[in-house]
Amino acid sequence: MSRTRTALLAALALVAGASGTALAVAPGDAGIAAVPCTVDYKVQNQWDTGFTAAVTITNNSAAKSSWSLKWSYAGNQKVTSGWNAKISQSGTAVTAANESYNGTLGTGGSASFGFQGTYSGTNAVPATFTLDGVTCNVDGGGPTDPGPTDPGTPGTKVDNPYAGAKVYVNPEWSAKAAAEPGGSRISNQPTAVWLDRIAAINGVNGGMGLRAHLDKALEQKGSGELVVQLVIYNLPGRDCAALASNGELGATEIDKYKTQYIDPIAAILADPKYASLRIVNTVEIDSLPNLVTNVSPRATATANCDTMKANGNYIKGVGYALNKLGDAPNVYNYVDAGHHGWLGWDDNFSASVQTIKQAATAEGATLSDVQGFITNTANYSALKEQNFTINDSVNGKSVRESKWVDWNRYTDELSYAQAFRQEAVNQGFASGVGMLIDTSRNGWGGTARPTGPGATTDVDTYVNGGRIDRRIHVGNWCNQAGAGLGERPKASPAAGIDAYVWIKPPGESDGASSAIPNDEGKGFDRMCDPTYTGNPRNNNNMSGALPNAPLAGHWFSAQFQELMKNAYPAL
């Protein structure tokens, strides 16, 4: 019989209090075999303004070579010093990571550490602990679960849906990739299913619809856990600052979006047949960031974005999607958060979180309908700039003053995503909220990849000589020449990051390089034209786009071959 988190915490407290020692639970112990990890947190000494605590973690899952334990305080406790773990704190959130000598944690193995802290008022034991994103002291459930469940059973919400799970391989994309010379090297990688128009729900031109994909996912699932990645992408007046991926719905067609697009998707996702799948929704790429950066009185404003801000239909649409799709207990919503080269500046960063929060509390949605955020979707920003940092300076000039960084606070996606997550927590989102980073096309390998820092002649030479991201300008987004596949999809790759994912299927065009008549609502955006000399959003630089590109979403063989050639890590 499984136990609730409350009962387990009580049992832990009683045993620890009675024996004075930490509690370790072996994987086969009766009654709590399903608990993936246990944490014994014990206040050893306490005085008026401070305390010491001892913590023991026991891993009941697969062996680990490193670990990270997280919790949040309900009061004003502050960790001041620690031992046997690297302990950091931001607001109420605490992270304890292994030292170099105690990272190995076998199945059934334990590790202990301690710390000293300060407090005033009460000094309550934290209610929830997560080890590498997995909730401990509970058999797969969370603080708001309606009752005890076993891991993987329908109705169980996990902290990180990617942890311990396979991810769905879209057979339609896989077949296209495998048909390319050398494509079989990556054709088994998981990519997202894009629901970019109403017709896509049932399948376009004889292709697979949503139910067909979910049925195939059940076949791939087997006896383990499986994540299915969907892109929810059909807002009224979609992509107001660009033309290549304009959608089928006009600026005022919010009711059609709700009743003919979101409602049918929600009904399918709520089918009990699919309750054992973990369904991850990437919600409305580019929409909310446009309301921050591309509206008046900014120089980057467009009339379409001004319209969408004024009518509120981006806010209403995203709120409605989060509310309706989040009703299913096995569905996880990740809201698009742009990328560092879009929202990393001081006047964009916090405002973007505020805008997402506004949408996440509109149309019946609540912050609990948001599992996390995704950055770099269908973009090219480098995961990690290894040859310079935002704190470097050359001849008295900060890296922030370089033309490439241009006063941004962030140089790459990993630092931006981690900071965005913390800002979201600071603004009221759950402390366990996670991040996804789309790494499908941000590898920038090949012969053009720098092997070290640039020369210190001046700050621009230093940055340009060492930067991994080889775009002409960080605002360039369409079919970028020289790009390569990035990190392969993986779960829990870094602190605060739920997964690296391939949401944009490599080989699918960002937009046509010249005007192509079509019935998909997709216009011609000059940013996809290799001869275009730019606009204020890319500081009037060349577009850097590849020639001869088809419509957005259509197969682009030349790009696919270049992505494989420039992959990093290399294929």
Side-chain angles (χ1 to χ4, degrees):
M1 178 179 177
S2 60
R3 301 186 186 182
T4 64
R5 178 174 57 84
T6 304
L8 276 168
L9 286 172
L12 289 168
L14 285 171
V15 174
S19 65
T21 59
L23 175 68
V25 181
D29 281 359
I32 45 179
V35 178
C37 46
T38 60
V39 176
D40 177 25
Y41 176 108
K42 183 166 53 180
V43 175
Q44 293 182 307
N45 299 291
Q46 183 170 307
W47 54 98
D48 289 346
T49 59
F51 67 102
T52 61
V55 182
T56 297
I57 57 177
T58 301
N59 173 40
N60 299 327
S61 302
K64 300 174 180 291
S65 58
S66 63
W67 50 264
S68 176
L69 183 72
K70 297 183 180 182
W71 69 86
S72 292
Y73 284 117
N76 61 358
Q77 297 97 321
K78 299 289 183 185
V79 175
T80 56
S81 62
W83 47 92
N84 293 335
K86 299 183 180 76
I87 305 177
S88 59
Q89 184 169 355
S90 178
T92 61
V94 180
T95 299
N98 63 277
E99 296 282 6
S100 59
Y101 53 81
N102 64 354
T104 301
L105 202 56
T107 304
S110 297
S112 298
F113 62 91
F115 61 89
Q116 182 168 317
T118 62
Y119 78 102
S120 63
T122 59
N123 185 23
V125 172
T128 303
F129 299 88
T130 61
L131 180 63
D132 298 329
V134 176
T135 304
C136 298
N137 298 344
V138 59
D139 50 355
T144 59
D145 285 344
T149 53
D150 293 324
T153 57
T156 299
K157 204 86 162 179
V158 295
D159 180 67
N160 177 1
Y162 290 86
K166 297 185 297 182
V167 186
Y168 176 62
V169 176
N170 181 343
E172 293 186 308
W173 174 82
S174 181
K176 293 175 184 176
E180 291 278 345
S184 60
R185 292 174 295 175
I186 65 164
S187 59
N188 64 340
Q189 291 292 345
T191 56
V193 174
W194 286 57
L195 302 175
D196 60 354
R197 46 189 153 149
I198 292 169
I201 300 170
N202 293 318
V204 179
N205 298 326
M208 296 172 68
L210 177 54
R211 281 194 178 274
H213 281 294
L214 296 179
D215 289 341
K216 182 62 70 172
L218 289 175
E219 293 179 22
Q220 293 185 15
K221 180 181 183 296
S223 60
E225 301 296 336
L226 185 125
V227 170
V228 180
Q229 301 174 124
L230 306 178
V231 177
I232 307 301
Y233 187 49
N234 197 31
L235 274 177
R238 190 178 75 191
D239 211 351
C240 61
L243 298 172
S245 50
N246 286 161
E248 63 185 349
L249 300 180
T252 61
E253 292 187 282
I254 185 66
D255 291 337
K256 189 173 181 180
Y257 175 80
K258 292 177 178 180
T259 61
Q260 296 185 35
Y261 179 69
I262 292 298
D263 287 354
I265 293 173
I268 294 171
L269 299 190
D271 189 332
K273 179 181 181 182
Y274 307 122
S276 64
L277 298 172
R278 297 178 181 178
I279 298 170
V280 167
N281 294 321
T282 295
V283 179
E284 294 297 354
I285 302 161
D286 293 348
S287 60
L288 299 177
N290 273 317
L291 299 185
V292 176
T293 63
N294 296 322
V295 294
S296 297
R298 298 201 183 198
T300 53
T302 71
N304 288 340
C305 288
D306 281 342
T307 295
M308 298 317 300
K309 183 165 186 177
N311 68 23
N313 284 343
Y314 276 8
I315 296 292
K316 295 172 188 174
V318 171
Y320 189 85
L322 292 173
N323 179 22
K324 291 298 182 180
L325 301 177
D327 284 347
N330 60 318
V331 172
Y332 302 80
N333 292 321
Y334 289 79
V335 181
D336 186 75
H339 57 89
H340 88 277
W342 186 356
L343 303 180
W345 282 270
D346 292 344
D347 53 351
N348 300 342
F349 187 72
S350 180
S352 298
V353 178
Q354 293 170 19
T355 301
I356 293 175
K357 185 176 181 181
Q358 183 184 358
T361 52
E363 299 290 314
T366 67
L367 299 189
S368 63
D369 288 318
V370 178
Q371 180 75 18
F373 310 92
I374 180 167
T375 76
N376 205 45
T377 314
N379 211 270
Y380 298 85
S381 295
L383 181 65
K384 178 65 179 175
E385 288 290 359
Q386 300 169 334
N387 298 322
F388 63 91
T389 76
I390 201 69
N391 299 314
D392 293 351
S393 61
V394 176
N395 298 331
K397 280 204 165 188
S398 164
V399 157
R400 293 190 68 203
E401 297 180 69
S402 68
K403 291 179 181 177
W404 173 256
V405 179
D406 192 25
W407 297 103
N408 202 313
R409 288 282 178 191
Y410 306 97
T411 60
D412 52 40
E413 282 309 290
L414 182 56
S415 62
Y416 167 76
Q418 290 171 326
F420 193 95
R421 194 199 79 83
Q422 188 56 58
E423 178 65 18
V425 172
N426 293 346
Q427 291 199 31
F429 285 90
S431 60
V433 75
M435 301 295 299
L436 305 177
I437 302 176
D438 188 346
T439 59
S440 58
R441 304 182 302 178
N442 69 348
W444 295 102
T447 57
R449 185 181 178 89
T451 57
T456 55
T457 311
D458 56 64
V459 72
D460 285 322
T461 303
Y462 175 68
V463 170
N464 287 330
R467 62 183 168 93
I468 303 299
D469 188 335
R470 306 310 299 170
R471 284 177 292 177
I472 297 170
H473 187 270
V474 73
N476 289 352
W477 54 266
C478 193
N479 300 324
Q480 292 299 285
L485 302 168
E487 287 279 351
R488 313 307 178 251
K490 65 177 71 171
S492 307
I497 310 300
D498 284 352
Y500 296 152
V501 293
W502 283 8
I503 295 300
K504 177 69 174 182
E508 292 190 1
S509 173
D510 295 320
S513 50
S514 59
I516 299 176
N518 66 92
D519 61 357
E520 300 175 31
K522 295 169 182 174
F524 168 50
D525 195 298
R526 290 295 307 281
M527 285 297 289
C528 301
D529 176 356
T531 69
Y532 185 48
T533 55
N535 57 50
R537 287 180 292 285
N538 79 333
N539 206 22
N540 296 297
N541 282 279
M542 296 296 290
S543 70
L546 290 167
N548 305 313
L551 288 171
H554 290 224
W555 191 254
F556 190 7
S557 178
Q559 184 192 46
F560 185 79
Q561 289 295 330
E562 185 170 74
L563 290 173
M564 290 195 297
K565 182 181 73 173
N566 294 329
Y568 191 90
L571 297 178

